[in-house]
Amino acid sequence: MITEEKKEEKNLNFIEEIIEADLQSGKYEQIVTRFPPEPNGYLHIGHASSICLNFGLTQKFPGYTNLRFDDTNPVTEDTEYVESIKNDIRWMGFEWKNELYASDYFDTLYEFALKFINAGLAYVDDSTSEEIAALKGTPTEPGKDSPYRNRSIEENLALFEQMKNGDFPDGSRTLRAKIDMAHINMLMRDPILYRIKHAHHHRTGNKWCIYPMYDFAHGQSDSIENVTHSICTLEFAPHRELYDWLIAKLEIYPSHQYEFARRNLNYTVTSKRKLLQLVQDGHVNGWDDPRMPTLSGLRRRGYTPESIRDFCDRIGVARRENMIDVGLLEFCVREDLNKKALRRMVVLDPLKVLITNFPEGVIEMCHSENNPEDIASGMREIPFSREIFIEKEDFLEIPTKKYFRLAPGKMVRLKGAYIIQCDDFVKDENGEITEVHCSYIENSKSGQDTTGINVKGTLHWVSAPHAVSVEIRLYDRLFSVENVSGEEGDFKDYINPESLSIITGYAEPALTDTKPGEAFQFLRKGYFATDTDSKTEKPVFNRTVTLRDNWAKAAEK
RNA sequence: UGGCUGAUGGUGUAAUGGUAACACAGGACAUUUUGGUUGUCUCGUUCAAGGUUCGAGUCCUUGUCGGCCAACCA
């Protein structure tokens, strides 16, 4: 027990190690982190890592986590996204201390800009974006000073005031920091601090027509909020130098930035730009399409927050490039659902079976456990009759070796009911098997079997007259290649055309009592979740994930 | 010809100068009224070359390979 605890404490990721050291040295008594989404899209599985990291840190160490919307670009942002983001974070099981917005600081940020101008550290540049780019240089060549770089403080003040007042059109002027056009770090070559955008902002409305850039808003917001550990992804590492420089020159609270590698999942994309395109071009049915790697899509698909948190724990946090197998995500949801999901029998591809020695018109009730992993979930009744459906793939005219399902002369157990033996089958003119004739073995009923017969196969089934038709949506991976962004050309060329197929299934009556979001295991078929489209008269289910299938694996070889 | 950053089984993550480990994936067996679950076993790893050291995945040097950096995006 003691060694186990010790081990758990010892296995810290690199950020936790930094925090542990900061706490131990007395640098901080508590930590403050923040989750800083831009409200320009829905949260996806990659964000889940960041959420678990930022919120998890302040569960593990003293302190708290804020939610801060990084809303400095009004043209792409919207309250719809704000709401979905808040909803998704709560669904994941986390609660923020303060709900904050970078736009709350626009006045302060404007003051900061003035301070910079007065200190001779910022200037208004009349150059076009092309001119700015041309003078910027390249990673190997230094840039050149803008002709507007040495305006007087008074002129800069006046011009910036006019920018704020809306005297200039979009793109005509910017406010730039005066740092060093020859700096080895491109981001330090007089970065743009403010730009003109005559656009309506989702929170400040039309109050502003100039908006701060990320670099002049993010670190400043961190500082205003006394964020101790500002955690972001690796591509922001070069920004850190600017982050620190701005805070130092402003002489404000020194937050510190730490970067970790974003988590990449194979067979999927996690770029808001690409996800937006999938939605807008109609390749999927919205942000919450169950094929989407968005949290709302995963939720609708049937993934549980527990399984996603477990996934994030397992993949950990590091600084190296990675490509995580979606198989791990699937493992996590199976493990969670195995404990929770009620078992139901649903035939997806029916084949009629006639129990020839079972009396016509008789209905016999069978019983089966709702979940063998959870005795408390109880039992349910299942009607049995002379005519049932089994899965087409569960009968073979000529069985292959090691096939222990139904075949002429063979016996199988019907789950929760009788052992049956196949006596005969019927083919249509196309050679298609349309019906199988069996006889049930007396005294072999589940729970009161006195026959001593041992069968290898157990099949799921449903009584034909009692079968309820339900809509079932089967999903496959959205992309057919492992590393979508590693491929040439348009990523949409790699969309899997068979990512969705809709079929009708035949369910036992107990399944009809369901509400959207509920999870079931369809015996031998997989985990399914009731869809938001589901109605009492027409239930709809999404396949979350199939069961592990060793037989299918063996059959492939 | 630049800067920053990284490299441990197929994948992801540990090992903080002292026996390279855990999980997933793969394979085998057992159990099983779900070919599920569970259990047992198994496979396989330090980018390379030098150096320091009694001892190097870890420290040093050089090299190789990967990622990121020239949006009025974040």
Side-chain angles (χ1 to χ4, degrees), chain A residues 297-316:
Chain A
L298 291 166
R299 173 169 59 234
R300 190 169 170 189
R301 175 86 169 248
Y303 277 80
T304 58
E306 291 81 3
S307 67
I308 294 174
R309 278 190 258 125
D310 182 36
F311 173 71
C312 292
D313 279 351
R314 285 168 184 267
I315 62 182

Side-chain angles (χ1 to χ4, degrees), chain A residues 32-50:
Chain A
V32 180
T33 63
R34 102 269 90 117
F35 175 62
E38 184 189 10
N40 67 345
Y42 280 62
L43 259 24
H44 55 65
I45 184 71
H47 292 111
S49 268
S50 177

Side-chain angles (χ1 to χ4, degrees), chain A residues 253-265:
Chain A
Y253 180 84
S255 298
H256 293 283
Q257 174 184 305
Y258 302 91
E259 312 88 19
F260 73 101
R262 66 149 29 104
R263 321 313 288 176
N264 302 298
L265 257 196

Side-chain angles (χ1 to χ4, degrees), chain A residues 150-164:
Chain A
N150 293 312
R151 295 220 248 228
S152 68
I153 289 173
E154 292 67 33
E155 196 184 352
N156 281 320
L157 250 15
L159 250 15
F160 189 52
E161 171 88 21
Q162 283 182 278
M163 280 172 64
K164 186 188 82 160

Side-chain angles (χ1 to χ4, degrees), chain A residues 346-353 388-394 432-435 460 462 464 467 503-507:
Chain A
V346 181
V347 173
L348 307 191
D349 188 12
L351 172 62
K352 195 201 282 183
V353 174
I388 64 168
F389 293 129
I390 64 167
E391 215 66 63
K392 245 187 199 123
E393 63 176 10
D394 287 338
E432 202 81 17
I433 292 159
T434 56
E435 199 173 307
H460 63 282
V462 53
I503 62 168
T504 298
Y506 300 87

